[in-house]
Amino acid sequence: MARRILRGLILALLLAASPAWSGPDARITSPQPEWSRLTAEQKQILAPLADDWPQMEHYRRKKWLDMARHYPRLSPEEQARMQRRMQTWQAMPPEDREKARSHYKEFKQLPPEKKNEVKTQWERYNQLPEEEKLRLKQKSEAKSPASERNPPPRQ
Amino acid sequence: MNEQQLIDGLRRHLDQGLERLSTPTLNRLHTARQHALAVKSKANRRGSGFTAGRGWLRPALATLALAAGIGFTALYLQNQNEISAMAALDTDLLADDLPPKAFTDPGFRAWLEESSEG
């Protein structure tokens, strides 16, 4: 009995500590279904992730399944954009995803006219010559703390 | 013959059998009984297994397990909420006009700062 309690405790502690093993956005969750167990609708929405699904962590599967529930509320154009970006997003280093989320949260707080301005600036930025983009990148990296430039390797 | 009669008959039969046992056999049975009782009472005093001799350990472990269980459940529920919030945010982010790269590109950040300064 006591041995069983002790084993349970050790297991609980190991599970609680597990997010530290797989990046800053890792979370604990229950086991999520294999690709073959998804509904036809989920498979259609998450089709770009079919190849990645078997290796995907359970918390990430759960997040994508939650995203599939949000999918129907998007316009057809937004749905197409989301599907087009799924793979790149999934393949991004977790630190970059966290950074994007944090900057996107700031962006969402902006009033509509500011948002439009950022969008116009993005278009202008994309037309800059590569050397200019490199100069801006170096300028930004010189200002940011070392920890942000060289995030600890993913464990 | 009803049930009670059957029980009485069996008891009588066994008692008669007991009367016919020899004294040495009775002595051996008595010694074996005493020995079994002594072993049993010693085991009761000592406790058993992992918690033997540590009466405080079992309740302490149970409390610790309960606390860990509550802690783990709270952490689990918090994580489910965070996953849901992350899913809502990621949906908006991936569906937005601006691509995710716009939010990770350090050059664009500097460009925005320069344009707001200029």
Side-chain angles (χ1 to χ4, degrees), chain A residues 64-75:
Chain A
W64 284 112
L65 290 171
D66 276 3
M67 286 174 77
R69 283 197 291 111
H70 289 291
Y71 186 84
R73 73 168 162 82
L74 302 176
S75 70

Side-chain angles (χ1 to χ4, degrees), chain A residues 38-51:
Chain A
L38 300 190
T39 64
E41 193 194 4
Q42 287 170 328
K43 280 183 186 168
Q44 185 259 315
I45 297 170
L46 303 175
L49 303 171
D51 290 344

